[in-house]
Amino acid sequence: MEELELMIGGPQGSGLDTTGQILTSSLAYIGYGVISDREYYSNITGKHSYIHMKVSPTRVPYDLSYPVKLLTAIDAETLYHHYNDLDENGYIALDSRGLNTTLDRIVTIESYTKKLIGEDLNNRIGSTKLEDIVQYLEDDLSVTAILLDYKLILDRLVDKFGVAASLASRYLSSIPMGVISGLMDIPPEAIEYGVRRRFYGREKIIEHNVYLINTISEEIKSQYGTPLKLPEPKLDMDEVMVVSGNDIVAMGKVVGGLRFQSYYPITPAADESFFIEANQNLGGDKGGIVVFQTEDELAAIAAAIGASLTGVRTATATSGPGFSLMVEALGWAGNSEVPVVITYYQRGGPATGLPTRGGQSDLLFTMFASHGEFPRVVLTSGDHEEAFEDSIIAFNLAEKYQVPVIHLLDKYLANSIATIKVPDLDVYRIDRGLIHRGDGDYVRFDTTKIVSPRAFLGDKAIIWYTGNEHTEEGHNTEDPILREKMYRKRMEKLKLILEETPKKYMYRYYGAEDPEYILLGWGFVKHTCISAVKSLEREGYRGGYLHIKMFTPYPEKDVANILRKVDPNKIIAVENNIMLQAGMATTLYTGIKIRRGVKKYTGRPIYLHELREAVIDLLSNEGKEEVILTYGS
Amino acid sequence: MEELELMIGGPQGSGLDTTGQILTSSLAYIGYGVISDREYYSNITGKHSYIHMKVSPTRVPYDLSYPVKLLTAIDAETLYHHYNDLDENGYIALDSRGLNTTLDRIVTIESYTKKLIGEDLNNRIGSTKLEDIVQYLEDDLSVTAILLDYKLILDRLVDKFGVAASLASRYLSSIPMGVISGLMDIPPEAIEYGVRRRFYGREKIIEHNVYLINTISEEIKSQYGTPLKLPEPKLDMDEVMVVSGNDIVAMGKVVGGLRFQSYYPITPAADESFFIEANQNLGGDKGGIVVFQTEDELAAIAAAIGASLTGVRTATATSGPGFSLMVEALGWAGNSEVPVVITYYQRGGPATGLPTRGGQSDLLFTMFASHGEFPRVVLTSGDHEEAFEDSIIAFNLAEKYQVPVIHLLDKYLANSIATIKVPDLDVYRIDRGLIHRGDGDYVRFDTTKIVSPRAFLGDKAIIWYTGNEHTEEGHNTEDPILREKMYRKRMEKLKLILEETPKKYMYRYYGAEDPEYILLGWGFVKHTCISAVKSLEREGYRGGYLHIKMFTPYPEKDVANILRKVDPNKIIAVENNIMLQAGMATTLYTGIKIRRGVKKYTGRPIYLHELREAVIDLLSNEGKEEVILTYGS
Amino acid sequence: MVVDLKSLRTDVWVDWCPGCGNFGILNATQRAIVELGIEPNKIVIVSGIGCSGKTPHFINVNGVHTLHGRAIPFATGIKIANPELTVIVHGGDGDLLGIGAGHFVALGRRNLDITVVMHNNGVYGLTKGQASPTLFRGEQTKALPKPNIQDAVNPIALALASGYTFVARTYSLNIKHYVETLKMAIQHKGSAFIDVLQPCVVYNDIYTKDFFKERIYVLEEDGWDPVVEPGTPMETIEEKINNAIQKSLEWGDKIPIGIFYMNKAVPEFGERLNTLIDNYTLIPPAKQPIAREDGKPIITNQDFRELFSRYIIRRR
Amino acid sequence: MVVDLKSLRTDVWVDWCPGCGNFGILNATQRAIVELGIEPNKIVIVSGIGCSGKTPHFINVNGVHTLHGRAIPFATGIKIANPELTVIVHGGDGDLLGIGAGHFVALGRRNLDITVVMHNNGVYGLTKGQASPTLFRGEQTKALPKPNIQDAVNPIALALASGYTFVARTYSLNIKHYVETLKMAIQHKGSAFIDVLQPCVVYNDIYTKDFFKERIYVLEEDGWDPVVEPGTPMETIEEKINNAIQKSLEWGDKIPIGIFYMNKAVPEFGERLNTLIDNYTLIPPAKQPIAREDGKPIITNQDFRELFSRYIIRRR
Ligand SMILES: Cc1ncc(C[n+]2csc(CCOP(=O)(O)OP(=O)(O)O)c2C)c(N)n1
Ligand SMILES: Cc1ncc(C[n+]2csc(CCOP(=O)(O)OP(=O)(O)O)c2C)c(N)n1
Ligand code: SF4
Ligand code: SF4
Ligand SMILES: [Mg+2]
Ligand SMILES: [Mg+2]
């Protein structure tokens, strides 16, 4: 076994988040590369949630795929969602007490989902009883079922440590960890390391968890051996960071010089602001970062712009509904040439949509949001490393060109935890662009330059800003000639950005130099596409993946050159939306019509196995325009 | 002289609006076709404003152009703005008392504008004294200057009617009307007709105005003759309407079944709501229209959506800044399949921009506004007739397909007064789409149909709506399969709309069947483009004008077919924006790259004379990509 | 149609946390509807976003689950277009007094006949426990990394300052009191606001059931007279408003619930509209036909000419 | 730098209507700045959209003319990022209490040291005279086709309910009173609100100069004590708030101007931030370096490892 995919499922509120963090830390401590995606409902307690994790000894395995080798369930419901996700010869762990559960007794499953599951189970097995499902898995897939009495296990805590019986259930999530630890042969000190990190300083909790996990692990090993043990890790990192997308963006922003972040809570963006707040003190003389919870997103962006005018690097973080409310002020920033970064985590739309699920359906919106025309940057990131780098670059672009920068990410990235290299900060520079420090004859909007030097409110010069068209001083004007000049000055920044920005921040190409087909994508589809291309190569399809990072301004010439390597019919956009928005943006700027695509908009990520199939399908059926993916619970 | 262009200028607050209305009515009464554009600052009192009017005996002359034959000035400032706008052998009328004014004494002109004017005058004439400018116009352009002592004229009111001296200045704008009336030989009863309409019932005011205008007119005729008299009118309309764009849209909405309009005041949209409010009572048993001023635009759109759910045809009217605030709720309407019409009058952006000037820079924004993907209609109108028709069609599309419809107009249309045919309402049908009236087994979002029958809140069925993804009943769901189904169901409406909507609501083509070049445009550029094509035809350029009306969904096949008649290099987009947004939309959907354009974004309309020149320029210089227009004060 | 508690339930699983105060609100709201005997198709529950926002899905009457902060304007449109509907807004404290505060104030200015029920739990429940506008400065509920640095807004005082003509507070676990209060609010002709104290068992470890149990007392039992009848002199009205505001400042060992203020003398928004629009009350927008049998607009050519005669010119 | 009245004028023509009350506000604001002796580069005037919104262009100090309704949040960002600046908001009554009401309430909850000057003219001036939120129901100013059907909001009461610690009213044509009031508001450490009665000569034919001349009287001359000093007992504070609200209801033959309420005991927002952020007061965001001389981030590799040590794992 080269890599391992596993899953832990249970109700929201049962500690899955913590489980994911501990396990990832433990595995990272041993030296494995890990990605861990978390799927959950917009609900605080009770609905089904799960962690889908991929572990590799050789790389950071971003390309989540199905089937999984191991499924551990905290509750009975889990198996109903995932019995189809298991690999042959796989393993499941569940509570032996729940075996006579039937589907109709699970109240927390939505009726539609229940109907589908019921139909499928009845067709396949003729029963919805858990016991029968287990039997089926054992028979048909040679799955090994590990049945444990969860209550008895938790009672050990009561017996050994005197934990109150009512509180013992808080340790439920240690049971799957124990099973995983056993089957994978994770050493006890690695588990302890992971637990200790998570519950830093809370010794009792650490003790209980470690005890439980490690004893279960031993028992599992003695009974089942260590069939899921991976080869020794071979990644060349002595040190890794275990971070979610939210975390790493926050870190990038801190390094990039963020000193004022305003926000209004929203999934999946808010965790970034909480992270910054938790780390807002930079150490005595460096001061600290203001993290400001506003009354709404209209205020969040307005406050960020206001703060920026004083010369502070400012940002706000939000998601679709919040950004929709920021649109008017975005135009103000564009008009007044204000550097401000909007970190935008896409989730499933439209409206409230699927608030805790992913999507990539806001690209065209960000490219054209707000009435009127003004320059902006739309920058997107495909993985944690890119996200870190882009978070710094975003500020540089914002200040150098005095434009709002929208850093567009998605929930998949935001909520997945990865083990990545600790970045080397020496490669970064803070580029603040042109700054005017004196007083004298200064005018803020000097039309002799495309980017005129910026002075800060509170420094020596007196400055005016306005949302109206303005004179060089910043006073309202309606003079047609001046209007034309000022308008063009602003818009010409787009050309400048395109000329001056290194290409790697605009797009990246992976794969064959002479491809027969090209996948085109952006954001979190990146590694899944790269892996699909690689894997298809082995089957004789020579292809490439074009990863677009900057959509405004759009690197049209380079992209066109790359895409012209293949017939337009051999370009396949891969996106978490229905319109193929990156494809549309590409057509818009290159004139190359992108007709074909792999689309997924269920809120779940695109998995490698389904992408591979879809690409093969499209490459083998010329007439087919789209494949719509729906895998994942 | 076949047609006449004239101008009346004066300070904001001096009654120019009224002047335009009276004059247009008087001319319409005689039988002329008139268009009257009004340009004004974002200011209540004092800044320069003017009416630019074109009068034709044979048509409604939408194609405003320069130079003008007659300039009448209420104040001294006017001539500084318009001395360049005059035609040879033209006429100016101004107050003899202001002749020794110099530019530096006019405080109300912006400093930048003043600088440009000063430089030009000094170069050309070596003086900024009004007297010298008049002299120059007489010498160089053979202009006839009609110098009148305005104060003496107004004193007649004091003498004859005992009007208080302090109030006499309210009649100032009658002086230009008198001059125009004289030079054009407008009969006294036509003047009286126009005045009476405007000041209906206020007999004293009517008397004073009529007296003043007609006496001045007589004097002018006796001194200058009637050099600007047009041929007898030949339009085949017995009856006309004299309406602004705001007015005609309001009328269309009333006819179309609007019963609830929410709005928040904003230029240039608010006049539409005031018009509806003034006419809200439809006559006893028909009831009346609620016109509801909200606390902001977030509330305006929310209230409109809420009202729509009860089965009422609802709309809101706004401009860029307001629409920017409506973006989130727009997505809610799309997601919940709510018919609602947003009448959107574009003005100069971005942000507050040029609040009282025109623009066409919000097209791409409306096409992609709001996070997530959902169907919508973006419909645009090119003149008053189209606007009327589209206002009705908009409701039909909204209800038939249960989608938000954005009816995109511009300030040029909104604020220009035209004489148009009284519409025949018998050609219109109210299409309310599928409606469910009973109770029983109804579900609101029946996925077996693309458009499922709508029930109204308050009728028999119980209904749920939500901004989340939802079940057929309207409850939140996160089921991936149902999500995919519901999402696709919504998006497929776009195809349906494209298939079922008559082509004339999507695009119109004017000009040669075998063109050598094609102008592509939308909105108020329509007639100027048609006239340019016609006029260039006479000079040997055979061309056509493609007028796009619907941008979402986009009639890509038909448009591509038309555009393919010419080399892509011979397609010229003509737009009041810098990005060539309709051109971009066209590339996006057809793949035909539109590189060349005539752009104007000074906030003033595109004039025929400058468009003609620009098109010739582009047709004669293959390498040239753009011509930027800036004419107009 | 017989409306009973059972028929007011839906098939949707109520996904609030076990022990959440929202259950009390849900049950009591259903009970009030039953007791008032309003037909389910004539009620609309309009909600914002949050745990509170899910309420309509659990009640078998019309439900409109809108956007964060916008429940009031959606509800406003519904009520104005079809005044025969009973419209109840359910919103969170963040929803109504944070992002929605502007609309909250505006509704007071209209006295439109809507009942606003605020689920006051001191936190942003659904986004995992940030401070809401009703949490006091210095307080640090469970999910807060640091004590709250914003002052609380006083919902009762804000409602009074905004012009609500019915202002009350109740407690989500005092079902009886809630039911009575809601019934009176619905029956009141005008904008009604109910501040419902609602324990959030997951995130608010300050304002718990225990906390409230000891402190809550009922205003009505206290010889309190909040009612303004038509004809009451201005000074008395002002005095009652002032008393109500003063009462609303009481938050410590004793916390009053009950009706703080109720003014029957202010014309409702529909009445106001009726002064502008012919027959608004009789044939409001939702009752007006817009097309004839043959599909033509109800406005005929002749109607059009009459309505807009001022804009039509017959050539001389 | 010597700041005198003349140097506080700009070259921009003041395009308000002749006789507009805004001229008084403009002059008096300049005068207050001169009298306080604040350097122009350390003041920022932040405005919304409307006739009132144009104010900053006419004063030779920093000016930020923002969006309709958003002046307060823009100002909030400026002040928090650089607390050494004196930040004054100029907004219309529509701007602050209509579209901006949510932010108006939120500022009160923070007690951030900003002064909000509301140009209260009862109308939406720049959009040609629609009713603003301060116009009473039933009133019909010049441009209204029909009498106003929304109730007025009481700005003073709303400010008090929202938590402003300095709440005053003045009159745009009583320059002396305006100057004194504004000076006190600026000097007050906390959120200050001034309701400025401002005749709009073009659209408001009810609240004219003549109207105000007869009615206005100065609270201070009346033995009025609105000040809360640190240490004042809670009951006294509540009483003062109540008195202030009661006073604010007075609008008829007599209209009070002056300070309605002033509380010196509430910690300002910057102080609150200082409890969370090391040295916030000393080195607020605007004073923090973010790069080293060589352009590298001020956060070194070592700093990074220290700050985020919890997220870094050294392989076993
Ligand atoms: C425009 C927008 N911003 C943010 C959110 C995220 N959000 C969802 S619920 C919520 C707060 C809920 O708090 P509250 O209104 O108090 O309701 P509760 O959950 O406590 O009942 C927020 C901020 C959103 N849905 N929309
Ligand atoms: C989002 C938005 N909506 C509407 C407008 C149009 N608008 C400009 S000024 C104004 C109202 C001004 O009234 P007020 O705030 O009272 O200021 P005043 O002009 O009376 O000083 C409005 C609605 C706008 N600029 N932005
Ligand atoms: S988070 Fe709090 S308010 Fe939300 S359901 Fe759970 S207990 Fe109730
Ligand atoms: S419209 Fe009114 S408020 Fe605006 S400038 Fe004129 S008088 Fe002043
Ligand atoms: Mg809450
Ligand atoms: Mg105002």
Side-chain angles (χ1 to χ4, degrees), chain A residues 28-29 31 187 197 237-242 259 281 284 288 295 332 424-425 430 458-459 463-465 475, chain D residues 41-42 56-57 60 62-63 65 73 103 110 276 278-279 288 295 301 303 305 309-313 315-316:
Chain A
Y29 175 74
R197 270 195 102 69
M237 306 190 237
D238 291 345
E239 248 181 7
V240 290
M241 304 219 299
V242 175
R259 290 301 177 269
N281 284 311
E295 58 276 23
W332 197 94
D424 174 15
L425 306 187
I430 304 288
D459 207 337
I463 321 165
W464 288 272
Y465 285 99
H475 294 306
Chain D
N41 58 330
K42 298 298 179 192
H57 298 290
N60 200 10
N62 291 307
H65 186 178
H103 310 305
R110 300 188 180 123
L276 308 181
D278 295 349
N279 293 325
Q288 295 175 33
N301 280 319
D303 294 335
R305 285 182 150 71
S309 59
R310 283 190 54 215
Y311 298 86
I312 298 176
I313 291 181
R315 294 273 164 89
R316 63 161 181 192

Side-chain angles (χ1 to χ4, degrees), chain B residues 124-143:
Chain B
R124 236 185 251 231
I125 316 178
S127 156
T128 74
K129 205 166 171 187
L130 221 50
E131 200 167 42
D132 297 329
I133 302 175
V134 171
Q135 188 68 54
Y136 158 81
L137 291 172
E138 289 177 334
D139 293 351
D140 276 39
L141 287 177
S142 313
V143 158

Side-chain angles (χ1 to χ4, degrees), chain C residues 236-255:
Chain C
T236 317
I237 299 179
E238 287 178 9
E239 199 186 307
K240 294 207 178 218
I241 294 181
N242 257 288
N243 290 345
I245 291 180
Q246 194 133 18
K247 257 294 166 232
S248 78
L249 298 171
E250 192 174 322
W251 185 276
D253 292 346
K254 293 183 73 190
I255 297 175

Side-chain angles (χ1 to χ4, degrees), chain C residues 92 121 166 175 221 233 241-242:
Chain C
N121 58 9
F166 181 103
I175 303 284
E221 296 168 356
I241 294 181
N242 257 288

Side-chain angles (χ1 to χ4, degrees), chain C residues 269-289:
Chain C
F269 199 66
E271 293 171 35
R272 304 181 193 176
L273 283 174
N274 206 42
T275 64
L276 308 181
I277 307 172
D278 295 349
N279 293 325
Y280 166 77
T281 313
L282 270 180
I283 33 171
K287 307 284 176 190
Q288 294 176 32

Side-chain angles (χ1 to χ4, degrees), chain A residues 9 51 112 300 308 355 464:
Chain A
I51 286 172
Y112 189 87
S308 172
W464 288 272

Side-chain angles (χ1 to χ4, degrees), chain A residues 264-267 297 321-322 325 347 352, chain B residues 328, chain C residues 22 49-53 68 91-96 99 119 121 123-127 132 198:
Chain A
Y264 185 73
I266 192 163
T267 311
E297 288 90 348
L325 293 175
R347 64 189 212 186
T352 311
Chain B
E328 192 195 12
Chain C
N22 284 329
I49 299 288
C51 295
S52 45
H68 193 36
D93 39 11
D95 196 279
L96 290 167
I99 191 168
H119 299 221
N121 58 9
V123 293
Y124 282 4
L126 195 56
T127 46
S132 90
Q198 175 243 315

